Amino acid sequence: MAHLTCELVELSAVTDARYGGKALGLAELSAHGYAVPAAFVIARADPEALPAGLEERYAGLVAGTVGTVAVRSSASGEDGAESSFAGQYETVLGVESYEELVAAVRRCVSSTHSERADAYQAHSGISGTMHLVVQEMVDARAAGVVFTADPTSARRDLAVVDAVAGLGEALVDGSTTSDHYEVDREGLITDRQVPGPPALTDSQVLAIAAGAREAEALWGCPLDLEWAIDRAGRLRWLQARPITTLPGDLSAMDSVVNTEDDVYTRCNIGEMMPGAFCPLTAAVSGRAIEYAMQQVQVSGGFQKAYDESRWLQVGYFSGHLFLNMTEGTALSSGILGNSLEQYSLSIAGRVVDELVPKPPKSFPRRLVNTVRLTTFALTAGRHIRRLDKALAATSTPSASTPAALLAELDAAIELYNEATLTHVRSSSRSAVAANVLEDTVAKQAVKAGRTVEDGRAQASALMAGATDVESAVMLSQLDEVVAELAGSTEAGGRFLEREPAEAVARLLADGGATAQKFAAFLARHGHRGYRELCVRDPSWGDDPEGLGTIMQGMLRARLATGNGNRPPQTVDDADLPRALRTLARLARAGARGREATKSRMVLVAHRLSRGYRLLGEQLAELGRLPDADLVFFFDRSELPLLLGTQDVSELVTAAESRRAALGYQARLEFPDVTVGKPVPFKPLPPEGVEDGVIVGRPACSGVVEGTVRVATTIAEAHDLQPGEILVAPVTDVGWTPYFTLIAGLVTDIGSSVSHGAVVAREYGLPCVVNTQGATRVLRTGDRVRVDGDRGTVTLLS
């Protein structure tokens, strides 16, 4: 084989990555008309056998310029699609003579075997031939980098520009703080952090971002580009390379927006489906909610038939589920006794000015629609009985082959859709009673010279005292188990000293009375848990580590305070007018029914979760998937493709990129209401905070002062201490056991029939919901006063 010698290569002759990614990036930029400083490549650089003509080529490069060049590595594999090697090899700036050039070549080549480069090569599995780019240096007035996707958040809708005055090396080596800009795809600067005199004008920032976006389109992938603005104000491009640290596109699985004017919200649905979800959850639980809500429209006469091909009522964006409020406005214009304002309040807790009312229907049509929807809600009991029969006749999908198992799962999807629809019927019945009660009491309060808030607080108090509410029963049963552990020094001590999962396993294996009560708890509530409609997240019954951690926290709190679960609240409504008393009792019964159907719905989701996990295990065993968990990152429509023998490597790679994206999606936050496609944002402190007072909606009466514990995830709730005030975005059933520890509850979103409000009322916890951002204003350790009568949270210190 012939020895490949060191040679000079002109930038215009570079057409592929054989001379390294840096050389290719510059060549492509130059070929597409970008202003790239003059450069050439030393291929297969060898300081002991320099290429012929190097001195003459160097002289030609510096002629007519500032007279200095930079020597940069462009090794094979460097700045490529797989690895960047950023900072692993030497770069030499300010080379002013041929002798300095030769020294720079030696220095760069020797860095190939530096300790840091060897470590990186071993980690990446990439090592290659060293090539060098010799490039005219720009006498820069400002320089920096631009990323066409935010490398921190992985958002591809944002370009990030970092700039410093002078040469960009000050940015790379961290010796100065850069100006920082974020630019959206509409060409708007959405964020800026400029610690001193700005290095750029806004027009220069936008020009840099626009140029980078054009290069991204040419490359077909997100890019990291270096740039400089010379003394004449010209934008020069110094380097372009793929960003190698990004996960998959956070928006790759987004649903289609119906119209750019549609109004989406995380309120309401965010209580049932908090956080970001894997694609299979969207295709299973998200679609079940879509099915149920479309059927409401069909039942009310607003839609002819269920449209399986479209997302009309729900949207899935960047891993999060949203409610399409625009589609729901048909209800406010098409039935009696409902307005756009009432609809907004019931969903978002405020009047949504962005909503445009649909043309009102005629009175006869509204009357017919109202009767139809009332019938829909009042027939919940019949459908619950039918659902119970179906649940008793079916079980968890468990076929022994992937094809048969997928067929069982598809059949279970039909049951899930019906269970979700039944829950929506029950919730409608509950919401009607609660809304009428609140509206009636609020009007009476105003008539009596009090405020609407006073009326809402009274309505919340009247809704307390419902018996056999599923969440409260669940908490009571688990607390009884913890109480028995606390009553035995030996048993309690053993439970606390063991790892959580082992503690649960040993308790179940004990066989005693406490173990039997715990087994009964799991038999009734083991399918419940945090984010319980996520088919990937385990239930309490499948997550002994998580359940054990919660129980240990409850046990420590009981041992520390001597207190356990609060006794359920009771309401004496004997002195109320008969009509009001009836409304209150209907509202309490509605809350009980809503919780019960939610449990049935979750049971089907739990069965599906176990079935899909089994499918993943079977496919992994057959070699069709690298691991069982990856099954959750396919759409339902893609799963049949995994059953055959065709090559699915590209599909598997796509699923792996979706899995890598989920953690980034989980950190995204969105406005409570968005017109058009929801776009993540960096939230500011919420409006309505004046003189240290956060205003929300009263959900359970009472006033309490205490120390704040902000918990944005269930994992953060593990740190709760007895008597603290829990401040959370929203709570679902998975948070319920922590209600034995807290003295009060504050949530960002929610309503009087939210899970947190219902359980708080049953145990007399002062509760304020729908603060629209208490988690962003308060910090763990703050002292606050929670006034559940007026719906306020006052910062004391």
Side-chain angles (χ1 to χ4, degrees):
M1 181 176 177
H3 178 67
L4 298 176
T5 59
C6 180
E7 64 176 332
L8 297 179
V9 178
E10 293 303 319
L11 208 58
S12 59
V14 177
T15 58
D16 55 35
R18 74 183 68 182
Y19 303 118
K22 188 177 279 92
L24 178 61
L26 287 170
E28 294 210 356
L29 285 173
S30 181
H32 285 97
Y34 283 74
V36 174
F40 63 85
V41 178
I42 302 176
R44 297 172 294 279
D46 182 352
E48 305 307 321
L50 294 172
L54 176 61
E55 187 171 5
E56 292 78 8
R57 185 65 185 87
Y58 165 72
L61 181 66
V62 298
T65 70
V66 294
T68 59
V69 300
V71 180
R72 305 176 189 272
S73 62
S74 184
S76 301
E78 182 183 5
D79 291 339
E82 301 300 326
S83 298
S84 72
F85 277 79
Q88 304 306 314
Y89 299 136
E90 289 288 345
T91 290
V92 181
L93 304 178
V95 174
E96 296 182 335
S97 67
Y98 180 69
E99 289 72 23
E100 289 185 12
L101 173 63
V102 173
V105 169
R106 291 195 177 99
R107 183 175 169 185
C108 289
V109 172
S110 65
S111 71
T112 309
H113 301 295
S114 67
E115 184 176 341
R116 69 187 182 193
D118 286 343
Y120 190 91
Q121 289 170 4
H123 172 74
S124 65
I126 298 174
S127 61
T129 304
M130 173 61 79
H131 313 286
L132 299 176
V133 172
V134 182
Q135 185 176 34
E136 168 202 350
M137 282 197 67
V138 176
D139 183 14
R141 188 167 66 191
V145 297
V146 54
F147 299 91
T148 61
D150 184 350
T152 302
S153 69
R155 287 178 56 182
R156 301 193 184 200
D157 60 315
L158 291 180
V160 175
V161 179
D162 288 319
V164 294
L167 292 176
E169 291 305 306
L171 173 63
V172 175
D173 64 22
S175 60
T176 188
T177 301
S178 65
D179 298 347
H180 178 85
Y181 300 88
E182 295 177 7
V183 183
D184 67 15
R185 288 194 177 273
E186 303 302 318
L188 299 175
I189 297 174
T190 60
D191 189 30
R192 70 177 74 223
Q193 298 168 29
V194 182
L200 301 173
T201 64
D202 282 4
S203 61
Q204 289 172 329
V205 172
L206 297 178
I208 292 166
R213 289 284 194 209
E214 290 174 7
E216 177 187 55
L218 294 170
W219 258 261
C221 66
L223 296 178
D224 160 6
L225 301 100
E226 294 183 15
W227 55 268
I229 294 178
D230 64 20
R231 297 294 172 183
R234 291 179 300 170
L235 175 59
R236 313 287 292 278
W237 297 92
L238 312 180
Q239 182 171 305
R241 62 190 177 199
I243 304 175
T244 60
T245 56
L246 288 177
D249 186 350
L250 307 191
S251 302
M253 300 296 286
D254 282 6
S255 56
V256 177
V257 175
N258 291 333
T259 75
E260 291 302 319
D261 295 327
D262 278 8
V263 177
Y264 288 91
T265 182
R266 281 286 293 149
C267 298
N268 190 276
I269 197 170
E271 300 173 44
M272 181 182 287
M273 304 286 290
F277 292 89
C278 60
L280 190 57
T281 293
V284 174
S285 292
R287 274 294 182 183
I289 297 170
E290 172 73 28
Y291 168 82
M293 296 187 68
Q294 280 198 42
Q295 291 293 6
V296 172
Q297 298 286 320
V298 173
S299 297
F302 310 113
Q303 185 174 324
K304 290 183 178 180
Y306 169 59
D307 186 347
E308 187 177 7
S309 66
R310 300 175 64 193
W311 291 86
L312 297 174
Q313 302 292 327
V314 177
Y316 179 59
F317 304 106
S318 297
H320 296 253
L321 285 162
F322 295 80
L323 192 64
N324 187 336
M325 294 187 71
T326 298
E327 287 296 317
T329 56
L331 296 175
S332 61
S333 63
I335 62 174
L336 300 174
N338 196 359
S339 66
L340 193 66
E341 290 74 18
Q342 288 173 314
Y343 170 68
S344 297
L345 286 168
S346 68
I347 298 297
R350 67 175 178 86
V351 175
V352 178
D353 296 326
E354 298 89 339
L355 274 178
V356 177
K358 293 190 175 182
K361 303 292 184 182
S362 65
F363 177 80
R365 171 50 58 189
R366 283 186 289 147
L367 178 60
V368 170
N369 292 346
T370 302
V371 171
R372 294 179 66 168
L373 278 178
T374 302
T375 303
F376 170 84
L378 295 181
T379 56
R382 170 159 50 90
H383 287 86
I384 291 171
R385 290 189 293 273
R386 189 170 72 184
L387 175 62
D388 285 342
K389 290 180 180 179
L391 287 170
T394 55
S395 59
T396 299
S398 58
S400 59
T401 65
L405 180 55
L406 190 57
E408 289 185 1
L409 285 163
D410 288 344
I413 290 289
E414 300 301 317
L415 178 59
Y416 191 28
N417 288 345
E418 290 307 314
T420 305
L421 180 57
T422 299
H423 176 58
V424 168
R425 289 181 190 272
S426 177
S427 298
S428 299
R429 186 174 61 181
S430 170
V432 168
N435 290 342
V436 172
L437 174 66
E438 185 174 284
D439 188 55
T440 301
V441 176
K443 288 179 178 178
Q444 289 182 351
V446 172
K447 190 174 181 180
R450 295 180 289 130
T451 65
V452 171
E453 287 71 23
D454 291 333
R456 288 175 176 169
Q458 184 185 357
S460 293
L462 290 173
M463 282 189 279
T467 57
D468 295 326
V469 173
E470 193 76 9
S471 296
V473 170
M474 176 196 315
L475 183 56
S476 178
Q477 288 185 344
L478 186 59
D479 194 58
E480 188 176 351
V481 173
V482 172
E484 293 196 3
L485 289 172
S488 168
T489 302
E490 182 180 358
R494 285 199 305 267
F495 193 86
L496 289 175
E497 69 187 17
R498 291 170 175 150
E499 290 298 314
E502 183 188 2
V504 166
R506 292 288 189 93
L507 175 58
L508 284 170
D510 178 80
T514 304
Q516 291 175 18
K517 289 182 179 179
F518 186 43
F521 165 81
L522 287 176
R524 179 169 176 177
H525 307 293
H527 61 286
R528 307 302 297 269
Y530 177 53
R531 286 166 37 102
E532 52 196 359
L533 296 185
C534 176
V535 295
R536 185 184 184 223
D537 288 359
S539 66
W540 283 333
D542 294 338
D543 183 23
E545 178 74 22
L547 181 56
T549 299
I550 292 171
M551 293 175 67
Q552 287 178 340
M554 294 172 66
L555 179 55
R556 290 190 186 96
R558 183 178 275 273
L559 291 173
T561 64
N563 296 324
N565 204 359
R566 295 170 176 81
Q569 298 292 103
T570 58
V571 174
D572 183 4
D573 57 11
D575 295 333
L576 292 175
R578 181 177 179 181
L580 197 58
R581 184 168 65 248
T582 300
L583 274 176
R585 292 177 180 177
L586 284 173
R588 292 195 291 271
R592 179 169 58 248
R594 179 174 179 261
E595 289 272 317
T597 54
K598 174 71 177 294
S599 182
R600 292 169 170 87
M601 176 186 172
V602 173
L603 176 59
V604 187
H606 170 67
R607 291 178 178 180
L608 285 165
S609 175
R610 284 184 164 182
Y612 281 118
R613 191 167 296 279
L614 177 60
L615 178 65
E617 291 169 357
Q618 292 177 354
L619 291 171
E621 187 175 347
L622 291 171
R624 300 293 284 170
L625 293 180
D627 60 83
D629 178 69
L630 196 63
V631 75
F632 297 109
F633 293 89
F634 295 91
D635 185 77
R636 270 189 69 209
S637 64
E638 296 171 331
L639 292 178
L641 300 175
L642 301 174
L643 304 186
T645 58
Q646 69 269 40
D647 180 19
V648 291
S649 57
E650 288 189 9
L651 190 56
V652 167
T653 298
E656 290 176 326
S657 72
R658 296 166 192 168
R659 179 163 61 183
L662 185 61
Y664 290 88
Q665 292 171 327
R667 293 193 288 271
L668 298 178
E669 295 190 58
F670 295 84
D672 66 325
V673 171
T674 303
V675 179
K677 182 177 180 177
V679 176
F681 80 136
K682 293 182 178 179
L684 298 172
E687 298 178 4
V689 180
E690 188 174 343
D691 298 327
V693 178
I694 301 169
V695 178
R697 299 191 74 184
C700 183
S701 63
V703 179
V704 66
E705 293 183 4
T707 301
V708 164
R709 173 69 61 178
V710 176
T712 58
T713 66
I714 195 72
E716 293 175 356
H718 294 341
D719 297 326
L720 270 165
Q721 300 299 310
E724 289 184 328
I725 307 295
L726 173 59
V727 180
V730 66
T731 65
D732 65 3
V733 163
W735 298 72
T736 301
Y738 290 110
F739 283 43
T740 64
L741 280 69
I742 63 177
L745 175 67
V746 178
T747 64
D748 287 344
I749 61 177
S751 67
S752 60
V753 294
S754 298
H755 164 267
V758 170
V759 179
R761 283 195 295 270
E762 297 317 302
Y763 292 95
L765 292 171
C767 178
V768 176
V769 299
N770 206 53
T771 60
Q772 297 297 318
T775 56
R776 302 195 299 272
V777 175
L778 300 175
R779 297 289 181 268
T780 295
D782 288 346
R783 283 196 59 80
V784 296
R785 178 186 302 113
V786 178
D787 189 333
D789 296 306
R790 298 195 173 276
T792 59
V793 182
T794 304
L795 183 62
L796 302 177
S797 64

